[in-house]
Amino acid sequence: MSLDPSLGYAAGSATDTALPVFDVQKVQLRFDISADFVAAQVANNVLILALSTGRILRFDLDNAEDIDDIDLPKRPAEIGVIRKLFLDPSASHLIISTTLGENFYLHTQSRQPKALAGLKGVQVESIAWNPSQPTASTREILVGAADGNVYETFIEPTTEFYRRQEKFVRNVYNTQDGAVVGLYADVLSARPDTRRVMVATAHKLLHFSGRTGRQGSEGSGSVYAKLFEGETPAVNEVDRTGGNAASMLVTTPDSPDPPPSTIDSQGVDRAYAWLTTQGIFNGQLITTAADPAVLGRQLFRESKMLTPSKLPPMQTSGGRPRTQQPPVSSITLTQHHILAFVEGRLTGINRLDESIVYNQQVLDPATPTLGLFADHQKSTYWLFTQTEIFEVVVTDESRDLWRILLQQSKYEEAQRYAKTAEQKDAVASMTGDHLISQGKFAEAAVVLGKSTKAFEDVCLTFIDKGEQDALRKYLLVKLASLGKKAVMQRMMVASWLVELFMAKLNQLDDTISTKAELTATQSMVSAADTKKLLPATRKEFQDFVTRNKADLDPKTVYEVISSHGREEELLFFANVVEDYNYVIAYWVQRERWTEAMAVLKRQTTPEMFYRYSTVLMAQQSVAVELAEVLMRQQGLGVKKLIPALLNYNRIVGGSVTLAQNQAVRYLLFCVNHAESKEPAVHNTLISLYAAHPSKDESALLGYLQTQADLHQQCYDADFALRLCRAHGRVRSAVHIFVGMGCFGEAVELALKYEDDGEDAGGKGWGRYVELAADVADRPGNDEALRKKLWLKVAKKVIGRSKGIKSAIEFLKRCELLRIEDLIPFFPDFVVIDDFKEEICAALEDYSRRIEGLRVEMDESAGTAEHIREDIKKLDQRYAIVEPGERCWKCRLPLLMRQFFVFPCQHAFHADCLGEMVMQSVGMGKGKRIRELRTEIGRGVAMGKRREGMVKELDGLVAGACVLCSDMAVKMIDEPFVTAADNREEWAV
C-alpha cells in the first residue's frame, strides 16, 4: 500500500503494467522520531512501531492522522527493551515481548498494555494465531519460545485489575532443538477440530496434522495438547553447519481473489517458506492428500530448496564477485514470489521457476534492519530499518505466470492467469495440443474452440483421428466464439454441425437396431448404453438448433436432414424456425391429416388457413375440427375460404345431412355470430342449401325468412333465384319472388308445379296451390293486384278435375272474386246447377249495389244544390268595422289608410299585411309581390292592365289571414320576443 503524502508520510505508487514487478519506495515521515525503531509489525492496514524508549506508535494507514502513542507500564530499565512485536492478521491483538522476558498484551481498542503473568520469563520468538481470526479474544493461540517450548494460551482482554488477561497457559510441546523461530496453524477441513500445526526451528521443520481436543466451553482448556500428544510429526531437517544465520517461517498473504466456493482465506491453499542456513525451503501448504496421515510427508516431498547459489552473487567494493555468499537475513512471501533481503539487497524470486524478477541494492550493507514484513490481509509488503520505513510496491506480479505454468505443462493454472486475448490464445493452443497428445479429444475440442489456432488444422486433426464427437464439440465452441457479424462463417459452421449431428444420430440408431457394440474409439459402449446416449444426442441437437436458428439456412438444413431421413429432427427444426408452412406441407404430402391439423390449429396467420383449408376440409376425419378452428380464428377473410368450403361440399357434402355439413356449419357461424355482410358468403350458403340432394328445403327457406325478418338482404336475389329454380326449390324461389315484389311470377311459379294433392291444410289442392293462394293474398291493400293474382289461382283450381263445387268453395277465400270473374274459366260442358246458388247470390249482390249507387246519386244532387246557394250568398257577405278598430300589426287606427278585413275578424292595413306576408312566404312569391307593388306605385300601367295587377296583388297578399291560415303554422319556430322588441314590455 502506498501512503498518502498529504497525510503525514508517503510512498510513491506505480500502476503502470510496464513498470517492474517490485519497486522499493521510501516512506517520508512527516514527524520527528525521538528514538530508533526496535521492532515493527503491519496487519490489516495498521502499522505498529516500537521505539527503544519503550514507546509504541500505532498508525491507522487508512487515516494517517490517527496515531496512538502508547507507553509500557514500566520503564525499559525495569523490564528491558522491546525486542519483538506480534500482531494478529486482523490487527486486533498485539503481544509485546521484551529482552528481560516480560510480555504484554494490547487490544486494538485499548491504549494500556496489560502484563501477561502466565508468560512471564518466556522469550517469545513466534506465535501461531487462531485460524478463526478472532476479534474479541485471541481464542487458542500457540506461542513459540526461545528455549524450544511451545505454549498454548487463550487471551481475553479485561478491565478488572486483579484478573489475568490469559485464561490459561499450558506447555504443549518442546522441540528439543533450540528456539521456535516459526509457528503456523490452520484448519484442514470443514471440521473445526481437524487442524495442521507447523513448528520451525533453525534446523527442523515439523508438521503436525490431526484432531484437536475440545473441552467444555471456549477457553476452558487446551485444544492443541491432544494433537501434539497423539500425533507423530513429519520432520524435515537440514544440515546444522552454516553458523547462526537467521531463520524464520513465513506464509503467503490472503489471496485478493479467492475462489467463489470459499468463505474465508482458510479454504485456499497457501504457500510457505522456511529460511534456514542451507537456503529457503518452500512449497504449497496442501490441505488434502490421498492419505491424511501422510499429509506432512507429501507436503515436504513436493517442496523444494532454494539454495543461496541460486541467488544473484554479491560483489565486493571493487566490483568482483564475492567468494562466499552472505546469508539471507530476512524473507517474506508475496502471492507468487519470495522476497529475500541480503546485506541491503532485495531480491525477488519467482516460486514456480526460481527465476530472478528483481535484484536491487536498496540499503547500505552495513545498515541494521528489522527485516521484511507482510500485511496478510491487504497484501502490502514493508522493509524496516532502525530509522526508516520502506514499502515494497507490487505491480501485477502475476503477469508472467501463465508463461511459466505453460512451460511446466500446468495448463489449467496457466489458463487462470492468462489475462490478455493473446495470452489466453497461446495457452489454449498449447493446452489443446497437449490434450490431443494424451487422447483427451473432448477436452481438447473445448479448449481449442476458444483459441485462434487455424480452423482447418484443428478440424483435419479430429477428422484424421476419426473423432467426430470431438469435432462436433469443437465446432460448437467455435460457433459460440464467432462474432455476430461473421454471418457467412457462422452459417457454414452451423450447417456442418447439422451434418455431424445427423450422422451421429444415424450411427446410434444403427447400433441400437443391430444390437452391436460400438468401436473402441467410443469406449466400447454397449447397445443398452447407446439407448441412453441417443436421447441425449437428440436433446443436444435440439438445443443447438434452438440456440443457433438464426445462423441456419432453412433450405440447406432441410436438404441435409432429408438426405439422412431424419423425420423427427426435420420437423423439430421447422417448428423452431417457425416454418409451419413446411411442417403442414410435410404432413399433407404423407396424408397424415391429424398431424397436419395439430399444427394448423396452433397457427394465427390467415394465409396458413387459406393455403391448407382446401385439402384438409376435404378430409372428413378432420373437417369437424377444422371448422371449429376456423370459428375460433379472428380476422379471417371468409371469401378466401369459399373454395375450400365448395370443395368440401363437392366431395363430402352429398353424403352427410345439412346438420352435419361442416361448410354449412361454418357459413352459418359467419352469418349468425360474426354477422358477416359479405354477399359471397350468403350466396355460397344458399348454393350449398340449394344443391344438397335432400328434398327438404326447410333449412334454405328458414335462412331466407331470417334474412327477411332482419330487414336486410345480403345475398344476390337473382343468383339465389336461379339456383332455387335450377334445383327445384319452389317454396324458396317463391319466397325470393315475393321479396322482390314479383307476386305474379311467384304465383305462376307455384302453380307451375303439380304435386300429390296433399298439403298441410288437408284441402286436397296440393301445397303449391296453397302456396300460390298465400302469395296472392300478400299485396294487401292493392285489391286490383290481389284480384289479378287470385284469378290466376282460380284458373288453376277450376282447371283441376275435383269438381266445380269444391273449386268455388276454395275460391271463396278471396272476397274480391265474383262469379262472373270465374265463369270464363269454367269448361263448356259444365252444368249450371253446380253453381246456381252462387249466381243467384251474385245477382242479389248486384241489385243491392245498384240501389246503393242510386241513393248516393240523390245525395250528390242535393249537395250540389246547397253549394250553388252558398256561392250566391258570398256576393252579399260583409264585415262591420268599428270606429276604434286597430290594425293587428301596427296597432294604429284601421281607418287611417287602405285596409283588409278577413272573415275571422282580423284586420290589417294593406301595407302592414304585405310586410307580414312577405316574411312568411317564399322567395319567389315575395319577389312577385315587390314587383307588383313597384309597378302599381309608379302608375305606369293603366286601365285593365292595372286592374289585373291590383287583383293579382290582392290575391297574393289577402288570400288568407296571416294569423289563422297555414302561414301562421309555418311561423311556429319564430320566438315571441325578437331582438327588435322591448323586452321590458314582456316582463311579468
Side-chain angles (χ1 to χ4, degrees):
M1 173 178 177
S2 298
L3 307 181
D4 190 343
S6 65
L7 300 179
Y9 47 91
S13 62
T15 58
D16 190 355
T17 56
L19 296 176
V21 176
F22 298 106
D23 184 26
V24 179
Q25 300 178 4
K26 183 179 179 179
V27 177
Q28 300 296 331
L29 301 178
R30 300 301 177 89
F31 51 86
D32 295 330
I33 301 297
S34 59
D36 292 342
F37 305 146
V38 293
Q41 277 293 339
V42 179
N44 197 21
N45 263 4
V46 175
L47 172 63
I48 308 292
L49 291 176
L51 306 183
S52 60
T53 58
R55 291 173 58 200
I56 298 175
L57 300 179
R58 182 166 57 191
F59 302 87
D60 183 356
L61 299 182
D62 289 330
N63 186 9
E65 296 179 351
D66 186 7
I67 304 175
D68 293 333
D69 193 344
I70 302 168
D71 291 322
L72 292 179
K74 298 180 181 180
R75 294 176 299 172
E78 299 177 19
I79 58 176
V81 179
I82 298 174
R83 54 185 292 273
K84 284 195 175 183
L85 298 176
F86 303 95
L87 186 63
D88 80 301
S90 66
S92 301
H93 312 284
L94 175 67
I95 293 179
I96 308 155
S97 179
T98 68
T99 55
L100 297 181
E102 294 289 341
N103 298 292
F104 299 89
Y105 169 77
L106 180 66
H107 192 268
T108 185
Q109 297 179 354
S110 173
R111 296 170 59 92
Q112 297 180 354
K114 302 291 184 179
L116 298 175
L119 295 175
K120 186 176 179 61
V122 176
Q123 293 284 346
V124 179
E125 294 289 338
S126 59
I127 291 180
W129 297 101
N130 195 290
S132 301
Q133 292 189 3
T135 54
S137 67
T138 64
R139 297 188 183 180
E140 297 83 6
I141 61 174
L142 295 175
V143 178
D147 57 3
N149 286 317
V150 177
Y151 299 92
E152 181 181 357
T153 186
F154 188 113
I155 301 175
E156 185 174 37
T158 179
T159 57
E160 298 180 15
F161 182 76
Y162 293 103
R163 185 175 177 182
R164 296 173 57 175
Q165 302 293 311
E166 62 272 35
K167 286 189 174 183
F168 67 88
V169 176
R170 179 175 177 178
N171 189 336
V172 292
Y173 187 72
N174 190 288
T175 62
Q176 303 296 326
D177 192 39
V180 179
V181 298
L183 283 172
Y184 174 75
D186 65 358
V187 178
L188 287 179
S189 65
R191 298 182 61 182
D193 56 349
T194 303
R195 298 190 184 184
R196 178 232 313 275
V197 175
M198 296 184 73
V199 182
T201 66
H203 304 98
K204 287 184 180 180
L205 181 61
L206 297 87
H207 183 284
F208 294 86
S209 60
R211 297 172 64 88
T212 58
R214 180 62 62 184
Q215 299 178 359
S217 60
E218 188 178 74
S220 62
S222 172
V223 298
Y224 286 105
K226 179 180 178 181
L227 175 65
F228 286 108
E229 293 172 358
E231 301 293 337
T232 301
V235 181
N236 184 72
E237 191 170 359
V238 298
D239 191 352
R240 295 178 181 274
T241 61
N244 296 322
S247 181
M248 61 177 60
L249 178 67
V250 293
T251 59
T252 53
D254 296 344
S255 174
D257 300 311
S261 60
T262 60
I263 300 175
D264 53 33
S265 60
Q266 300 301 326
V268 183
D269 287 352
R270 297 174 182 271
Y272 77 97
W274 175 39
L275 177 61
T276 70
T277 57
Q278 303 301 315
I280 303 173
F281 188 70
N282 64 93
Q284 201 74 14
L285 284 172
I286 58 176
T287 57
T288 57
D291 183 3
V294 297
L295 178 64
R297 291 196 294 275
Q298 181 180 341
L299 183 147
F300 291 149
R301 187 168 56 252
E302 295 178 359
S303 300
K304 54 188 176 181
M305 177 68 77
L306 177 65
T307 61
S309 62
K310 296 181 180 179
L311 297 177
M314 299 293 289
Q315 296 179 347
T316 63
S317 57
R320 292 176 298 176
R322 296 174 59 173
T323 57
Q324 185 176 1
Q325 185 75 9
V328 177
S329 61
S330 180
I331 64 170
T332 191
L333 289 179
T334 66
Q335 293 296 331
H336 308 290
H337 295 81
I338 302 173
L339 291 178
F341 190 75
V342 184
E343 291 189 358
R345 179 178 291 274
L346 183 66
T347 304
I349 307 103
N350 191 294
R351 288 192 293 107
L352 296 177
D353 62 351
E354 298 182 350
S355 61
I356 305 300
V357 298
Y358 183 80
N359 186 39
Q360 189 70 34
Q361 190 75 33
V362 296
L363 295 175
D364 185 88
T367 303
T369 61
L370 303 182
L372 292 168
F373 298 87
D375 185 340
H376 280 230
Q377 286 199 356
K378 303 300 180 181
S379 295
T380 58
Y381 310 95
W382 306 83
L383 171 63
F384 293 94
T385 70
Q386 292 183 350
T387 58
E388 294 178 313
I389 303 174
F390 297 88
E391 182 179 4
V392 183
V393 179
V394 182
T395 304
D396 192 17
E397 70 169 307
S398 63
R399 65 179 71 169
D400 295 323
L401 289 182
W402 67 273
R403 184 179 293 107
I404 298 171
L405 292 168
L406 202 58
Q407 293 172 354
Q408 297 176 353
S409 299
K410 297 179 179 179
Y411 300 103
E412 293 184 3
E413 295 182 35
Q415 289 177 353
R416 187 173 61 187
Y417 289 107
K419 298 180 180 178
T420 66
E422 294 79 6
Q423 294 173 3
K424 293 179 180 179
D425 184 59
V427 173
S429 298
M430 293 190 65
T431 303
D433 294 339
H434 172 70
L435 292 172
I436 289 177
S437 65
Q438 291 185 334
K440 299 179 179 179
F441 298 103
E443 295 86 341
V446 176
V447 174
L448 291 173
K450 300 177 182 178
S451 70
T452 59
K453 188 173 181 178
F455 177 80
E456 59 274 15
D457 291 344
V458 178
C459 293
L460 289 174
T461 299
F462 288 132
I463 292 173
D464 292 341
K465 295 184 178 294
E467 289 296 329
Q468 298 297 319
D469 291 344
L471 176 60
R472 186 176 74 250
K473 185 166 291 188
Y474 168 74
L475 293 177
L476 286 170
V477 177
K478 180 59 69 176
L479 180 62
S481 64
L482 288 173
K484 294 296 183 183
K485 294 184 179 180
V487 178
M488 185 59 66
Q489 292 88 332
R490 292 181 65 89
M491 187 172 295
M492 292 177 65
V493 173
S495 301
W496 192 1
L497 278 167
V498 173
E499 172 69 30
L500 293 176
F501 271 115
M502 295 303 101
K504 180 64 176 179
L505 290 171
N506 281 342
Q507 179 186 2
L508 294 174
D509 281 339
D510 293 343
T511 302
I512 294 173
S513 61
T514 59
K515 297 183 180 180
E517 292 188 350
L518 300 179
T519 61
T521 57
Q522 294 169 319
S523 304
M524 299 296 290
V525 183
S526 65
D529 294 332
T530 305
K531 291 182 178 179
K532 300 178 181 179
L533 185 59
L534 179 61
T537 305
R538 183 176 289 115
K539 179 64 166 58
E540 185 182 359
F541 168 74
Q542 293 174 353
D543 293 340
F544 159 74
V545 169
T546 304
R547 186 172 55 252
N548 302 282
K549 60 182 179 181
D551 302 317
L552 294 169
D553 176 52
K555 183 178 179 181
T556 303
V557 175
Y558 288 147
E559 292 178 358
V560 171
I561 301 179
S562 299
S563 65
H564 287 271
R566 303 296 304 182
E567 179 181 281
E568 182 177 345
E569 284 70 29
L570 186 69
L571 294 176
F572 179 83
F573 172 75
N575 280 285
V576 167
V577 298
E578 298 181 354
D579 189 1
Y580 302 112
N581 182 39
Y582 183 91
V583 179
I584 299 176
Y586 179 88
W587 291 124
V588 168
Q589 289 175 2
R590 288 154 180 78
E591 297 185 357
R592 302 274 291 274
W593 312 117
T594 303
E595 289 82 353
M597 191 63 232
V599 178
L600 183 63
K601 67 182 180 182
R602 297 197 303 268
Q603 307 308 306
T604 57
T605 307
E607 285 70 20
M608 297 290 287
F609 295 95
Y610 302 152
R611 181 173 300 177
Y612 294 103
S613 292
T614 300
V615 64
L616 291 176
M617 198 72 183
Q619 312 306 317
Q620 195 167 357
S621 59
V622 295
V624 176
E625 187 176 7
L626 178 59
E628 293 175 352
V629 172
L630 293 177
M631 285 187 275
R632 290 197 298 267
Q633 294 300 314
Q634 301 292 332
L636 285 180
V638 186
K639 291 174 64 176
K640 296 183 179 181
L641 294 173
I642 289 177
L645 302 177
L646 294 177
N647 185 56
Y648 165 83
N649 192 68
R650 179 179 62 82
I651 299 174
V652 182
S655 60
V656 296
T657 63
L658 284 173
Q660 298 171 338
N661 190 302
Q662 299 306 311
V664 173
R665 177 189 175 197
Y666 177 66
L667 290 173
L668 284 175
F669 169 83
C670 296
V671 170
N672 298 329
H673 296 277
E675 298 181 353
S676 174
K677 301 296 189 296
E678 287 284 348
V681 175
H682 293 262
N683 292 339
T684 304
L685 180 60
I686 291 174
S687 68
L688 298 183
Y689 275 136
H692 195 269
S694 173
K695 294 183 178 180
D696 184 11
E697 58 177 309
S698 58
L700 174 57
L701 186 59
Y703 161 76
L704 295 173
Q705 290 173 346
T706 302
Q707 292 292 299
D709 294 341
L710 295 176
H711 302 289
Q712 61 180 359
Q713 181 175 309
C714 299
Y715 59 88
D716 185 345
D718 293 335
F719 171 78
L721 187 61
R722 286 196 301 272
L723 282 176
C724 292
R725 299 188 70 171
H727 294 280
R729 307 300 182 184
V730 179
R731 297 175 64 84
S732 300
V734 168
H735 178 85
I736 295 173
F737 269 132
V738 171
M740 298 171 64
C742 301
F743 299 101
E745 291 82 350
V747 172
E748 290 176 358
L749 179 63
L751 297 177
K752 180 180 178 180
Y753 288 85
E754 296 288 344
D755 52 34
D756 54 6
E758 296 180 0
D759 63 354
K763 303 285 184 181
W765 294 104
R767 60 174 179 269
Y768 294 134
V769 173
E770 291 289 342
L771 178 61
D774 180 64
V775 173
D777 280 331
R778 292 292 183 89
N781 296 328
D782 191 349
E783 294 185 353
L785 180 58
R786 281 187 64 203
K787 183 174 182 180
K788 180 179 178 181
L789 298 177
W790 269 103
L791 287 174
K792 293 181 179 182
V793 175
K795 183 177 180 181
K796 180 70 174 180
V797 170
I798 294 173
R800 301 281 296 271
S801 58
K802 290 194 174 184
I804 297 301
K805 197 71 174 176
S806 60
I808 292 177
E809 288 294 330
F810 177 79
L811 295 174
K812 284 183 179 179
R813 294 165 58 178
C814 180
E815 73 283 0
L816 301 177
L817 294 181
R818 298 289 180 265
I819 189 64
E820 62 271 23
D821 299 326
L822 303 178
I823 290 176
F825 303 138
F826 292 154
D828 296 337
F829 52 83
V830 67
V831 180
I832 196 171
D833 291 341
D834 294 336
F835 52 94
K836 179 175 61 177
E837 295 179 0
E838 284 74 11
I839 293 176
C840 294
L843 293 176
E844 291 176 358
D845 182 58
Y846 280 131
S847 176
R848 286 193 297 271
R849 291 178 61 187
I850 292 172
E851 182 64 23
L853 291 174
R854 186 184 62 78
V855 173
E856 289 178 1
M857 291 174 64
D858 293 343
E859 291 177 353
S860 297
T863 301
E865 183 64 26
H866 287 304
I867 291 173
R868 283 193 294 273
E869 292 178 359
D870 290 340
I871 291 174
K872 292 179 181 179
K873 292 179 180 179
L874 285 176
D875 294 337
Q876 301 175 4
R877 289 184 63 186
Y878 62 91
I880 299 175
V881 179
E882 299 294 337
E885 187 77 21
R886 295 177 180 274
C887 175
W888 278 79
K889 181 179 185 302
C890 64
R891 308 307 299 169
L892 294 176
L894 189 65
L895 299 178
M896 290 179 61
R897 54 185 184 273
Q898 184 180 357
F899 61 89
F900 288 97
V901 180
F902 293 94
C904 58
Q905 298 303 314
H906 288 138
F908 304 92
H909 290 130
D911 54 346
C912 293
L913 180 61
E915 292 177 2
M916 295 178 67
V917 170
M918 290 180 67
Q919 291 177 359
S920 59
V921 299
M923 294 179 60
K925 189 176 289 187
K927 181 179 179 180
R928 181 59 180 166
I929 292 174
R930 284 193 295 271
E931 291 177 351
L932 291 173
R933 293 175 67 176
T934 301
E935 291 293 328
I936 296 173
R938 290 170 60 185
V940 177
M942 303 300 292
K944 293 183 177 180
R945 184 167 179 266
R946 176 181 175 83
E947 293 177 0
M949 294 176 66
V950 170
K951 186 175 181 180
E952 183 182 359
L953 178 61
D954 290 345
L956 292 174
V957 172
C961 177
V962 293
L963 299 181
C964 301
S965 66
D966 57 348
M967 286 190 289
V969 177
K970 295 179 181 178
M971 298 172 62
I972 191 66
D973 59 337
E974 294 185 6
F976 286 106
V977 182
T978 63
D981 296 334
N982 185 3
R983 294 181 178 273
E984 294 181 358
E985 295 180 356
W986 290 84
V988 178

